[in-house]
Amino acid sequence: MRDATGSPTTSYYDYIIIGGGTAGCPLAATLSQNASVLLLERGGAPYNNPNITRLSAFGAALSDLSETSPSQRFVSEDGVINARARVLGGGSALNAGFYTRAGTKYVRNMGWDGALANESYQWVEAKVAFQPPMGRWQTAVRDGLLEAGIVPNNGFTYDHINGTKFGGTIFDRNGHRHTAADLLEYADPKGITVLLHATVHRILFRTRGTTKPIANGVVYRDRTGQAHRAYLKEGALSEIILSAGTLGSPQLLMLSGVGPLAQLEAQNITVVMDQPHVGQDMYDNPMNAVFVPSPVPVEVSLIEVVGITGEGTYVEAAGGENFGGGGSTGSSSTRDYYAMFSPRATLLESNSMTKLSSAQPFQGGFLLEKVMGPLSTGHLELKTRNPKDNPVVTFNYFQHPDDLKRCVRGIQTIERVVQSKAFARYKYADMSFEYLLNLTASTPVNLRPPRSGPGASLPPSAEEFCQHTVTTIWHYHGGCVVGRVVDGDYKVIGIDRLRVIDMSTVGYCPGTNPQATVMMLGRYMGVKILRERLTDK
């Protein structure tokens, strides 16, 4: 990999992949085995940055608001603070590391070949997946989930099965993160060029003398602003593949003239194809967390155990006295957790926590629930013509009543875990669950209007808690959904030599954490495309 500064003004490749993220890296590595590949990443490298590589520094990168941060913050119109990756490896360089496959039913519903999907998962796992340490606090959460009826105990497994399990992690036993960028170790060095700080501004199309637009190149700029052009080599098998993520892929399609006509005209963008579904069908799984202070120390851990309830929610946990101590702030885990969502959200500022903070350092953890699906849908719109600017995004959390019902059931499951005998050691006996909800709800984790009215001082109901403390778990998806923007082979409908392969094509989140499946999909589609290439030669 090298900085895009100094790269040729004009170059030619069999495949141009836009976005070196969770899907783009395995895709590029695979295609390089039998073709020439250009991988364009707008961010830098994940290596030699302890805020990325060290488990103990989790959250530091997400709360870094600088222009050179590997994370680019955005706030949805719903008032929920979110982030998009700006680094080689994509979201796998920023997330909490949980590694778990999609269920077999999900694989079937997506129309994927089960055998090839399984081989692709194994290809990924050989480089980046590990068994977590499974410390005492996480084990207490597991036993609490089992006591709460989330059975059976499925032990340690990558598989998505109803019940309680320990899943995998991309952090090794030394607490070192392994990202999708590590999958580039599979690449043929002679077949791949990886450029960093290379921001694609638009895709180029040939439209004259053709029945439909044909993608034939891209314009990208290096960090100095210098423009470069990369073109596809001649031949019907050469392709441009968008893997720029749920925000980046629909945004770049629109910036290139493919999207809803009114939006393109409003931004004075030359229309290549009116495609009303680009940027539509956007989803983000709501996440709500309950902070549980502990009277005894808690080991540092991110997501390891999960309860797959069968009722539309997943219950997970993260704990420890200090997530962020290895980062630049040295803040407590609780402060660092909230700092990920809002610069002004610091639990120490909460009046209800003053008595605890004065008595002892914060220790404890978060039990969180994620709504599966979800069923509520939103949309994305261009704000400017600058690809570095965030688009305007609305997710409409809990717009569908079933999402709220699922959240309530998830909070009820968390209550049963907290009240279980297995978890008793890690909870103050005199702290009721209502107190814990009020404690958590008193801290501003989002920019939604605070609770008001006569009941605002009372503990919130589960419904109120879900609405007022909703955050993201960074599993947002959609915007270029299969069947609407791309076909079953991820080819953009109505355009030749252009595909989208990333989470923007998904209309339903795969399992408890999508990163394993997105990495798998990059490998899976790389193998399929190479097979087509060899067959057609």
Side-chain angles (χ1 to χ4, degrees):
M1 58 188 181
R2 65 175 188 265
D3 195 282
T5 307
S7 59
T9 304
T10 306
S11 54
Y12 297 86
Y13 296 88
D14 294 319
Y15 296 99
I16 300 170
I17 299 174
I18 304 168
T22 315
C25 287
L27 177 62
T30 302
L31 292 176
S32 74
Q33 297 296 330
N34 201 26
S36 61
V37 178
L38 174 63
L39 180 61
L40 297 168
E41 168 53 46
R42 71 188 185 119
Y47 306 105
N48 301 317
N49 182 345
N51 285 349
I52 292 174
T53 59
R54 291 171 57 184
L55 183 151
S56 60
F58 173 69
L62 286 164
S63 51
D64 177 2
L65 304 185
S66 70
E67 289 188 4
T68 58
S69 171
S71 167
Q72 182 176 357
R73 178 168 287 178
F74 69 95
V75 181
S76 71
E77 296 300 285
D78 317 273
V80 172
I81 297 158
N82 214 316
R84 58 193 293 211
R86 184 168 51 195
V87 61
L88 191 70
S92 67
L94 302 173
N95 64 23
F98 195 57
Y99 183 96
T100 181
R101 298 182 179 190
T104 52
K105 183 180 178 181
Y106 187 95
V107 171
R108 284 197 304 271
N109 289 344
M110 292 298 292
W112 297 331
D113 177 86
L116 179 56
N118 190 52
E119 291 169 13
S120 299
Y121 276 123
Q122 291 173 351
W123 181 88
V124 171
E125 288 153 11
K127 287 283 186 188
V128 303
F130 305 88
Q131 184 170 336
M134 299 185 280
R136 294 179 67 181
W137 187 81
Q138 287 278 347
T139 300
V141 174
R142 179 202 63 189
D143 294 344
L145 282 162
L146 294 170
E147 196 176 318
I150 313 304
V151 293
N153 181 357
N154 292 312
F156 167 72
T157 179
Y158 294 144
D159 293 335
H160 184 84
I161 318 166
N162 280 3
T164 296
K165 71 164 190 173
F166 274 100
T169 177
I170 59 173
F171 289 98
D172 63 26
R173 281 304 180 103
N174 296 318
H176 182 87
R177 182 192 295 271
H178 295 259
T179 75
D182 292 13
L183 300 174
L184 291 170
E185 294 170 12
Y186 282 121
D188 182 344
K190 297 187 295 295
I192 192 167
T193 300
V194 180
L195 296 182
L196 304 178
H197 303 291
T199 301
V200 175
H201 281 244
R202 69 182 188 277
I203 300 165
L204 303 173
F205 298 96
R206 192 167 72 245
T207 54
R208 290 181 182 176
T210 64
T211 56
K212 55 184 175 180
I214 301 172
N216 69 342
V218 301
V219 176
Y220 67 94
R221 293 184 182 273
D222 60 33
R223 67 165 86 210
T224 70
Q226 179 65 45
H228 306 259
R229 290 185 177 228
Y231 292 98
L232 293 178
K233 291 182 178 178
E234 287 302 319
L237 297 176
S238 297
E239 291 179 303
I240 293 168
I241 305 173
L242 257 174
S243 296
T246 298
L247 267 60
S249 289
Q251 179 186 26
L252 197 51
L253 279 178
M254 286 191 268
L255 290 175
S256 304
V258 179
L261 182 64
Q263 278 203 60
L264 303 182
E265 290 179 338
Q267 294 290 338
N268 199 26
I269 295 170
T270 301
V271 178
V272 173
M273 187 176 75
D274 177 16
Q275 205 333 341
H277 297 296
V278 173
Q280 302 301 304
D281 307 302
M282 299 284 293
Y283 307 83
D284 190 21
N285 301 81
M287 189 267 274
N288 295 81
V290 179
F291 177 59
V292 185
S294 171
V296 297
V298 171
E299 77 269 6
V300 174
S301 63
L302 297 178
I303 309 302
E304 295 182 10
V305 68
V306 60
I308 301 173
T309 67
E311 296 183 335
T313 61
Y314 308 124
V315 175
E316 304 173 353
E321 192 169 351
N322 192 347
F323 292 164
S328 59
T329 62
S331 60
S332 75
S333 61
T334 316
R335 272 206 309 275
D336 210 51
Y337 172 86
Y338 284 112
M340 287 186 281
F341 302 113
S342 171
R344 66 186 177 89
T346 300
L347 198 54
L348 286 175
E349 295 169 1
S350 170
N351 292 332
S352 60
M353 286 300 285
T354 302
K355 61 178 183 179
L356 272 175
S357 64
S358 61
Q360 61 190 46
F362 283 118
Q363 54 191 19
F366 295 91
L367 271 67
L368 59 94
E369 64 81 30
K370 167 190 171 180
V371 173
M372 67 184 289
L375 301 175
S376 303
T377 63
H379 59 277
L380 173 153
E381 297 177 1
L382 288 180
K383 186 175 184 179
T384 73
R385 292 175 60 174
N386 186 345
K388 293 184 178 182
D389 292 340
N390 289 318
V392 179
V393 188
T394 306
F395 290 118
N396 292 318
Y397 299 99
F398 302 122
Q399 179 189 58
H400 195 292
D402 285 355
D403 286 342
L404 185 58
K405 291 175 183 176
R406 289 173 174 180
C407 179
V408 169
R409 288 197 291 267
I411 297 300
Q412 291 168 343
T413 301
I414 290 174
E415 180 177 10
R416 297 200 302 274
V417 174
V418 170
Q419 306 292 14
S420 68
K421 292 179 181 178
F423 195 74
R425 181 171 185 265
Y426 296 103
K427 171 188 171 291
Y428 286 95
D430 61 347
M431 284 189 181
S432 67
F433 191 70
E434 290 74 20
Y435 175 83
L436 296 178
L437 290 185
N438 208 36
L439 181 69
T440 307
S442 67
T443 302
V445 295
N446 58 44
L447 302 179
R448 291 158 82 87
R451 293 172 66 211
S452 59
S457 61
L458 299 174
S461 67
E463 288 85 356
E464 288 175 320
F465 184 84
C466 288
Q467 290 278 12
H468 288 282
T469 70
V470 63
T471 58
T472 183
I473 197 167
W474 308 287
H475 296 172
Y476 53 90
H477 50 282
C480 298
V481 173
V482 169
R484 295 180 180 177
V485 176
V486 298
D487 64 16
D489 291 318
Y490 300 91
K491 295 178 178 179
V492 176
I493 297 167
I495 295 179
D496 276 347
R497 298 169 73 176
L498 180 63
R499 300 194 204 219
V500 182
I501 300 174
D502 59 22
M503 275 287 280
S504 71
T505 63
V506 171
Y508 201 91
C509 187
T512 55
N513 186 301
Q515 73 167 342
T517 301
V518 180
M519 286 189 272
M520 179 281 290
L521 181 61
R523 168 63 177 178
Y524 177 98
M525 285 307 300
V527 171
K528 286 198 70 174
I529 292 168
L530 280 188
R531 286 177 180 174
E532 293 170 11
R533 188 176 189 87
L534 292 171
T535 301
D536 292 347
K537 272 191 173 179

